[in-house]
Amino acid sequence: MSQPPSKKERVHFGTLEREGVALAKRKRQEEDIDIDKKRDGEDGGDDMLKLTEFTKEDPRDLVGSTVDLDLIDESLGDTIDDQMNDESLERRRQAMDEFERKKLARSIAVPTADLEVRAQLRSLDHPVCLFGEDAGDRRGRLRYILSTIAIEQKKSAAPGGSEDAMTRGDADEEEEDEGEDEEFYTEGSEELRQARHKIAVYSLARAGDRLERQRKDCEADLAVVRQRRQNLVKTLQSYTNDGSQVGGERPLARIVFSADSKTLLVGSWSGAIKLWTVPQCKEVRTYRGHTDRVGGLSFRPQSAAIHVLDTESTVVDFASGAADKTIHLWSAAKETPVATLHGHANRVVHVNFHPSGDFLGSASYDGSWRLWDIAAQRELLLQEGHSREVFCLRFQCDGSLVATAGLDGVGRVWDLRSGRSVMALEGHAKEIFGLDWSPNGFHVATGSADNTVRVFDLRKMESICQIPAHKSMITDVRFFHAASLPPALAAADCSDDSTTMMDTSTDRETNARLCSGQYLVSASNDGLVNVWTTGDWKLQKSLAGHVGKVMSVDVAGDGSYIASSGYDRTFKLWGPEDLA
């Protein structure tokens, strides 16, 4: 008979644990016996040999040994600290190199034409096109390559190698940080002292006249002022597109009205400047002199009428600045500049005439703004103060102050009579691309890449209003500076019995002043031109018509039109329906 199958012994997890513990104990005992034998056989050998043998064992077995555990910890700790210091220094060096590369990349001029970008990539032995790469990506890759080459050349040219250069750079940074907190002054020239005196005399007289006019305006009938405001709001809400014209082969970066509002200038990224009639939008003349993007345009205040037929005239009618680092002075009758101002080390993005017409201000990507003497055609002042590129500059109506702003997101108000910075326009989270003074002389509006417009009051030394103006970055802001009563409001006066007292020329001049500064216009990359009434800062009209970015905006002195230029290579005129 077959025996019944034997019952298998059950194995429990507890049994495995007990067997494992017993096996570990036996192994530990055997290792202890080996260690004792080694101790008995040794003759007090070298400490480093003992350290090598005992570090193979469990640290708990070393408690009763002759090896100093603190020595082990210190030696291991020093090694780890050295490794961490080396790694942190290397990471810091790499971060500084990348920071320097990005900083240098922003200042490198890269062609915008795709064919030129391809040609330059080919000359550098790099692929002309990568898979899935568009023109913008290709241009960014070229900028990266050029900045990397420049950094490598800078390192190779530095004596003593990159480590010495890094050490010297750290020392220089420490010295710069110590010096940043110190206010310093530089001695100006005699010509600058005379210019400051001239500006002081001119601005004090204008400020007195402005205050006297404002006192008289405060005595105006409240009912008339209220009626004027209602007519103005009604007129602004009726604005529509009254004309559109292709202004060039490339985007139109700047547009400005002449003082008589009968002509306007348009500056293009092609380097050309064109004069157009208003409102017919007919081209009168093309001015050629710049070789790169035009960014700044300004009419001279004394050029009330543009005489385009006097070809022998050398009177300066307007000025322009461009990415070729030059400023040209032009006569409207000549297609070539009458003078050229050199001095900026980088792209000139904005120019503005002083109200006296004797001086010109310019803002540049070299981080400075400069004051020029028009008659002598030379530089009077080079002023620094912004941590990054300066993008916009405007003179106050009296001529005593100038406001500047740029890519550091901070604006500054400077006193031209003393050279001091009297106020910082702070509050924006990103770069400032637009700036303008109100005709009242104490309000400054700034437009930023944070999609807001801020209004600052010099009397309170603070921001009084923040307007969420657009859905994209704001490129320009302009107040209405009235040279005469707007036609639409003049017609409203004639038809309104309550304002028949405004028929005299003196009363109409008063009305023009009452309208001056009563609305603000902003342009943005969202393709809109928005019109805001001042005081309540309400949106009265949003003008849509551009395809893409709106790059510049201006308001005619007679209030008849608003002009805008855009990335779509067109400029447009906006006016009330009764003028259309």
Coordinates of all heavy atoms in Angstrom, one line a residue, residues 50-92:
K50 N 44.5 51.6 9.4 CA 43.4 51.3 10.3 C 42.1 52.0 9.8 O 41.0 51.4 9.8 CB 43.7 51.8 11.7 CG 44.8 51.1 12.4 CD 45.0 51.6 13.8 CE 46.1 50.9 14.5 NZ 46.3 51.5 15.9
L51 N 42.3 53.2 9.3 CA 41.1 53.9 8.9 C 40.5 53.2 7.6 O 39.3 53.1 7.5 CB 41.4 55.4 8.5 CG 40.3 56.2 8.0 CD1 39.2 56.4 9.0 CD2 40.9 57.6 7.6
T52 N 41.4 52.7 6.8 CA 40.9 52.0 5.6 C 40.2 50.8 5.9 O 39.2 50.4 5.3 CB 42.1 51.7 4.6 OG1 42.8 52.9 4.4 CG2 41.6 51.1 3.4
E53 N 40.7 50.0 6.9 CA 40.1 48.7 7.3 C 38.8 48.9 8.0 O 37.8 48.2 7.7 CB 41.1 47.9 8.2 CG 42.4 47.5 7.5 CD 43.3 46.9 8.5 OE1 43.1 46.9 9.7 OE2 44.3 46.3 8.0
F54 N 38.8 49.9 8.9 CA 37.6 50.0 9.7 C 36.4 50.7 9.0 O 35.3 50.5 9.4 CB 37.9 50.7 11.0 CG 38.6 49.9 12.1 CD1 40.0 49.8 12.1 CD2 37.8 49.1 12.9 CE1 40.6 49.0 13.1 CE2 38.5 48.3 13.8 CZ 39.8 48.2 13.9
T55 N 36.7 51.5 8.0 CA 35.6 52.1 7.3 C 34.8 51.2 6.5 O 33.8 51.5 6.0 CB 36.2 53.2 6.4 OG1 37.2 52.7 5.6 CG2 36.7 54.4 7.2
K56 N 35.3 49.9 6.4 CA 34.5 48.9 5.6 C 33.4 48.3 6.5 O 32.6 47.6 6.0 CB 35.4 47.8 5.1 CG 36.5 48.3 4.1 CD 37.4 47.1 3.7 CE 38.4 47.6 2.7 NZ 39.3 46.4 2.3
E57 N 33.6 48.5 7.8 CA 32.6 47.9 8.7 C 31.5 48.8 9.0 O 31.5 50.0 8.7 CB 33.3 47.5 10.0 CG 34.6 46.7 9.8 CD 34.3 45.4 9.1 OE1 33.2 44.8 9.3 OE2 35.2 44.9 8.4
D58 N 30.6 48.3 9.8 CA 29.4 49.1 10.2 C 29.9 50.2 11.2 O 30.7 49.9 12.1 CB 28.4 48.2 10.9 CG 27.1 48.9 11.1 OD1 27.1 49.9 11.9 OD2 26.1 48.4 10.5
P59 N 29.5 51.4 11.1 CA 29.9 52.5 12.0 C 29.7 52.2 13.4 O 30.4 52.7 14.3 CB 29.1 53.7 11.5 CG 28.8 53.4 10.1 CD 28.6 51.9 10.0
R60 N 28.7 51.3 13.7 CA 28.4 51.0 15.1 C 29.5 50.2 15.7 O 29.7 50.1 16.9 CB 27.1 50.3 15.2 CG 25.9 51.2 14.9 CD 24.6 50.4 14.9 NE 24.7 49.4 13.8 CZ 23.7 48.6 13.5 NH1 22.6 48.6 14.2 NH2 23.8 47.8 12.4
D61 N 30.3 49.4 14.9 CA 31.4 48.6 15.4 C 32.6 49.4 15.7 O 33.6 48.9 16.3 CB 31.8 47.5 14.4 CG 30.6 46.6 14.2 OD1 29.8 46.4 15.1 OD2 30.5 46.0 13.1
L62 N 32.7 50.7 15.3 CA 33.8 51.5 15.5 C 33.8 52.3 16.8 O 34.7 53.1 17.1 CB 34.0 52.5 14.3 CG 34.1 51.9 12.9 CD1 34.1 53.0 11.9 CD2 35.3 51.0 12.8
V63 N 32.7 52.2 17.5 CA 32.5 53.0 18.7 C 33.6 52.7 19.7 O 34.2 53.6 20.3 CB 31.1 52.8 19.3 CG1 31.0 53.5 20.6 CG2 30.1 53.2 18.3
G64 N 33.9 51.5 19.9 CA 34.9 51.1 20.9 C 36.3 51.0 20.3 O 37.2 50.6 21.0
S65 N 36.5 51.4 19.1 CA 37.8 51.3 18.4 C 38.7 52.5 18.8 O 38.3 53.5 19.3 CB 37.7 51.1 16.9 OG 37.2 52.3 16.4
T66 N 39.9 52.4 18.3 CA 40.9 53.5 18.5 C 40.8 54.6 17.4 O 41.5 55.6 17.4 CB 42.3 53.0 18.5 OG1 42.6 52.4 17.2 CG2 42.5 52.0 19.6
V67 N 39.9 54.4 16.4 CA 39.7 55.4 15.3 C 38.9 56.6 15.8 O 37.8 56.4 16.4 CB 39.1 54.8 14.1 CG1 39.0 55.8 13.0 CG2 40.0 53.6 13.7
D68 N 39.4 57.8 15.5 CA 38.6 59.0 15.9 C 37.5 59.3 14.9 O 37.8 59.6 13.7 CB 39.6 60.2 16.0 CG 39.0 61.4 16.6 OD1 37.7 61.4 16.9 OD2 39.7 62.4 16.8
L69 N 36.3 59.1 15.3 CA 35.2 59.3 14.4 C 35.0 60.8 14.0 O 34.6 61.1 12.9 CB 33.9 58.9 15.1 CG 33.8 57.4 15.4 CD1 32.4 57.1 16.1 CD2 33.9 56.6 14.1
D70 N 35.4 61.7 14.9 CA 35.3 63.1 14.5 C 36.3 63.5 13.3 O 36.0 64.3 12.5 CB 35.7 64.0 15.7 CG 34.6 63.9 16.8 OD1 33.5 63.6 16.5 OD2 35.0 64.1 18.0
L71 N 37.4 62.8 13.3 CA 38.4 63.0 12.2 C 37.8 62.5 10.9 O 38.0 63.1 9.9 CB 39.7 62.2 12.6 CG 40.8 62.3 11.5 CD1 41.2 63.7 11.3 CD2 42.0 61.4 11.9
I72 N 37.1 61.4 11.0 CA 36.5 60.9 9.8 C 35.4 61.9 9.3 O 35.4 62.2 8.1 CB 35.8 59.5 10.0 CG1 36.9 58.5 10.4 CG2 35.1 59.0 8.8 CD1 36.3 57.1 10.8
D73 N 34.6 62.4 10.2 CA 33.5 63.3 9.8 C 34.1 64.6 9.2 O 33.6 65.1 8.2 CB 32.6 63.6 11.0 CG 31.8 62.4 11.4 OD1 31.7 61.4 10.6 OD2 31.4 62.3 12.6
E74 N 35.2 65.1 9.8 CA 35.7 66.3 9.4 C 36.3 66.2 8.0 O 36.2 67.0 7.1 CB 36.8 66.8 10.4 CG 36.2 67.3 11.7 CD 37.3 67.8 12.6 OE1 38.5 67.7 12.3 OE2 36.9 68.1 13.8
S75 N 37.1 65.1 7.8 CA 37.7 64.9 6.5 C 36.7 64.7 5.4 O 36.8 65.3 4.3 CB 38.7 63.7 6.6 OG 37.9 62.5 6.9
L76 N 35.7 63.9 5.7 CA 34.6 63.7 4.7 C 33.8 65.0 4.4 O 33.5 65.3 3.3 CB 33.6 62.6 5.1 CG 34.2 61.2 5.2 CD1 33.2 60.2 5.8 CD2 34.6 60.7 3.8
G77 N 33.6 65.8 5.5 CA 32.9 67.0 5.4 C 33.6 68.1 4.6 O 33.1 68.8 3.7
D78 N 35.0 68.1 4.8 CA 35.8 69.1 4.0 C 35.7 68.7 2.5 O 35.7 69.6 1.6 CB 37.2 69.1 4.5 CG 37.3 69.7 5.9 OD1 36.4 70.4 6.3 OD2 38.3 69.4 6.6
T79 N 35.8 67.4 2.2 CA 35.8 67.0 0.8 C 34.4 67.3 0.2 O 34.4 67.8 -1.0 CB 36.0 65.5 0.7 OG1 37.2 65.1 1.4 CG2 36.0 65.0 -0.7
I80 N 33.3 67.1 0.9 CA 32.0 67.4 0.3 C 31.9 68.9 0.1 O 31.3 69.4 -0.9 CB 30.9 66.9 1.3 CG1 30.9 65.4 1.3 CG2 29.5 67.4 0.8 CD1 30.0 64.7 2.3
D81 N 32.3 69.7 1.1 CA 32.2 71.2 1.0 C 33.0 71.7 -0.2 O 32.6 72.6 -0.9 CB 32.8 71.9 2.3 CG 31.8 71.6 3.5 OD1 30.6 71.3 3.2 OD2 32.2 71.8 4.6
D82 N 34.2 71.2 -0.4 CA 35.0 71.6 -1.5 C 34.3 71.3 -2.8 O 34.3 72.1 -3.8 CB 36.4 70.9 -1.5 CG 37.3 71.4 -0.3 OD1 36.9 72.5 0.2 OD2 38.2 70.6 0.0
Q83 N 33.7 70.1 -2.9 CA 33.0 69.7 -4.1 C 31.8 70.6 -4.3 O 31.5 71.1 -5.5 CB 32.5 68.3 -4.0 CG 33.7 67.3 -4.1 CD 33.2 65.8 -3.9 OE1 32.0 65.6 -3.6 NE2 34.1 64.9 -4.0
M84 N 31.1 71.0 -3.3 CA 29.9 71.8 -3.4 C 30.3 73.2 -3.8 O 29.6 73.9 -4.6 CB 29.1 71.9 -2.1 CG 28.4 70.6 -1.7 SD 27.5 70.6 -0.2 CE 26.3 71.8 -0.6
N85 N 31.4 73.7 -3.2 CA 31.9 75.1 -3.6 C 32.3 75.1 -5.0 O 32.0 76.1 -5.8 CB 33.1 75.5 -2.7 CG 32.7 75.7 -1.3 OD1 31.5 76.1 -1.0 ND2 33.6 75.6 -0.3
D86 N 33.0 74.1 -5.5 CA 33.4 74.1 -6.9 C 32.2 74.0 -7.8 O 32.1 74.8 -8.8 CB 34.3 72.8 -7.2 CG 35.6 72.9 -6.5 OD1 36.0 74.1 -6.1 OD2 36.3 71.9 -6.3
E87 N 31.2 73.2 -7.4 CA 30.0 73.2 -8.3 C 29.2 74.5 -8.3 O 28.7 74.9 -9.3 CB 29.1 72.0 -7.7 CG 29.7 70.6 -8.0 CD 28.8 69.6 -7.4 OE1 27.7 69.9 -6.8 OE2 29.1 68.4 -7.5
S88 N 29.1 75.1 -7.1 CA 28.3 76.4 -7.0 C 29.1 77.5 -7.8 O 28.4 78.3 -8.5 CB 28.2 76.8 -5.6 OG 29.4 77.0 -4.9
L89 N 30.4 77.5 -7.7 CA 31.2 78.5 -8.5 C 31.0 78.3 -10.0 O 30.9 79.2 -10.7 CB 32.6 78.4 -8.1 CG 33.0 79.0 -6.7 CD1 34.5 78.7 -6.4 CD2 32.7 80.5 -6.7
E90 N 31.0 77.0 -10.4 CA 30.8 76.7 -11.8 C 29.4 77.1 -12.3 O 29.3 77.7 -13.3 CB 31.0 75.2 -12.0 CG 30.9 74.8 -13.5 CD 32.0 75.4 -14.3 OE1 33.0 75.8 -13.8 OE2 31.7 75.6 -15.6
R91 N 28.4 76.8 -11.4 CA 27.0 77.2 -11.8 C 26.9 78.7 -11.9 O 26.3 79.3 -12.7 CB 26.0 76.7 -10.8 CG 25.8 75.2 -10.9 CD 24.5 74.8 -10.2 NE 24.6 75.1 -8.8 CZ 25.0 74.2 -7.8 NH1 25.5 73.0 -8.2 NH2 25.1 74.6 -6.6
R92 N 27.6 79.4 -10.9 CA 27.5 80.9 -10.9 C 28.2 81.4 -12.1 O 27.7 82.4 -12.8 CB 28.2 81.4 -9.6 CG 28.1 82.9 -9.5 CD 28.6 83.4 -8.2 NE 28.4 84.8 -8.0 CZ 29.4 85.7 -8.4 NH1 30.5 85.3 -8.9 NH2 29.2 87.0 -8.2

